Amino acid sequence: MGKNFSDFFLSSECMIRMASGWFYLSCLLLGSLGSMCILFTIYWMQYWRGGFAWNGSIYMFNWHPVLMVAGMVVFYGGASLVYRLPQSWVGPKLPWKLLHAALHLMAFILTVVGLVAVFTFHNHGKIANLYSLHSWLGITAVFLFACQWCLGFAVFLLPWASMWLRSLLKPIHVFFGAAILSLSIASVISGINEKLFFSLKNTTRPYNSLPSEAVFANSTGMLVVAFGLLVLYILLASSWKRPAPGILTDRQPLLHDGE
């Protein structure tokens, strides 16, 4: 009996170590993709769209795609994976909860500044707001993000909520986390497409002739999709979820508090 238990324990420990190795490899790929998403968007706005300003002009609008990609996709996706870090599997969860909340708050601040940029540009140029499917998807994602963050802060970070309430709301919290990221990706893709249609409508090389700007922007969109799919895969991979109590060693007790 003792030998069987020892074999099971060693097998479980090896599985955790193997999962950790693949996790960090995926994180390296994820970090590369996320950096490329932001850098490609910056380069697109700088090289083809004239750069950046904060004066109500079209150059102020150029902050919008950069900040939305950085906030609603890259930082949001990274913040969602905090509890997949093997270091978060043991010891107190409070530091990881604080990191999770802080990264999401940073993502939300970037998102708000990105929205300020586009609304200011629209109002300055007397352009209608929130009329396209892209804007509907985006504002829905931002609204759900705000609700998600407030709910997470109130229930999972503050100490008043009971274990029963946390266990009840955890699946909802997880579902909407993935749903918001999916909505954000859809909004970014539709936004890239919309920007190309508007910008390349009356040029010598229109969008349907696939000029270099269109190739580059479409490639940026594909990077965003790849980043989002990898985040969702890591979130859904069972081998990278927080192990159940009893899997880890007694010297590293797992505090399973319902989140």
Side-chain angles (χ1 to χ4, degrees):
M1 179 69 179
K3 185 177 184 302
N4 290 338
F5 177 79
S6 177
D7 290 343
F8 172 76
F9 173 77
L10 291 174
S11 175
S12 300
E13 190 175 28
C14 288
M15 289 175 63
I16 291 173
R17 288 180 179 176
M18 186 179 299
S20 300
W22 281 110
F23 175 83
Y24 287 122
L25 185 61
S26 298
C27 282
L28 181 62
L29 176 59
L30 196 68
S32 301
L33 284 173
S35 300
M36 289 173 67
C37 288
I38 297 173
L39 291 174
F40 272 45
T41 310
I42 292 173
Y43 186 80
W44 176 24
M45 293 297 108
Q46 181 67 46
Y47 183 77
W48 277 286
R49 296 292 110 209
F52 303 91
W54 198 266
N55 54 8
S57 68
I58 187 64
Y59 305 116
M60 183 174 181
F61 170 87
N62 291 344
W63 284 109
H64 175 67
V66 172
L67 293 172
M68 300 309 281
V69 168
M72 287 299 293
V73 177
V74 177
F75 273 82
Y76 184 92
S80 301
L81 300 179
V82 164
Y83 292 120
R84 295 297 181 266
L85 288 168
Q87 291 89 339
S88 72
W89 296 355
V90 296
K93 289 186 70 175
L94 182 58
W96 301 102
K97 290 182 179 183
L98 291 172
L99 179 61
H100 182 70
L103 288 174
H104 271 128
L105 181 60
M106 186 179 299
F108 189 72
I109 290 171
L110 291 173
T111 299
V112 170
V113 177
L115 289 178
V116 169
V118 69
F119 277 102
T120 302
F121 164 68
H122 279 190
N123 294 336
H124 188 267
K126 296 185 174 16
I127 301 171
N129 290 305
L130 301 176
Y131 64 88
S132 65
L133 178 59
H134 158 67
S135 61
W136 288 15
L137 287 170
I139 208 67
T140 300
V142 173
F143 173 75
L144 291 175
F145 184 12
C147 295
Q148 172 90 333
W149 193 91
C150 292
L151 178 66
F153 181 84
V155 175
F156 297 110
L157 191 59
L158 297 181
W160 69 270
S162 65
M163 290 277 294
W164 175 85
L165 180 60
R166 291 183 180 186
S167 298
L168 178 68
L169 292 180
K170 179 187 172 183
I172 300 173
H173 189 70
V174 172
F175 167 78
F176 274 101
I180 291 166
L181 179 62
S182 300
L183 280 172
S184 300
I185 294 168
S187 179
V188 167
I189 297 307
S190 60
I192 290 173
N193 204 237
E194 185 177 286
K195 178 64 176 176
L196 288 173
F197 273 121
F198 285 153
S199 301
L200 302 176
K201 184 169 54 177
N202 296 315
T203 59
T204 54
R205 291 201 63 192
Y207 187 18
N208 61 8
S209 68
L210 208 62
S212 56
E213 180 180 358
V215 173
F216 187 86
N218 287 348
S219 300
T220 303
M222 294 301 293
L223 285 173
V224 170
V225 171
F227 177 88
L229 290 177
L230 184 55
V231 170
L232 292 174
Y233 174 76
I234 295 174
L235 285 174
L236 295 174
S238 58
S239 59
W240 291 333
K241 292 182 180 179
R242 187 178 175 94
I247 295 297
L248 301 179
T249 66
D250 292 335
R251 289 176 299 175
Q252 296 177 313
L254 179 62
L255 301 182
H256 189 71
D257 64 357
E259 183 182 342

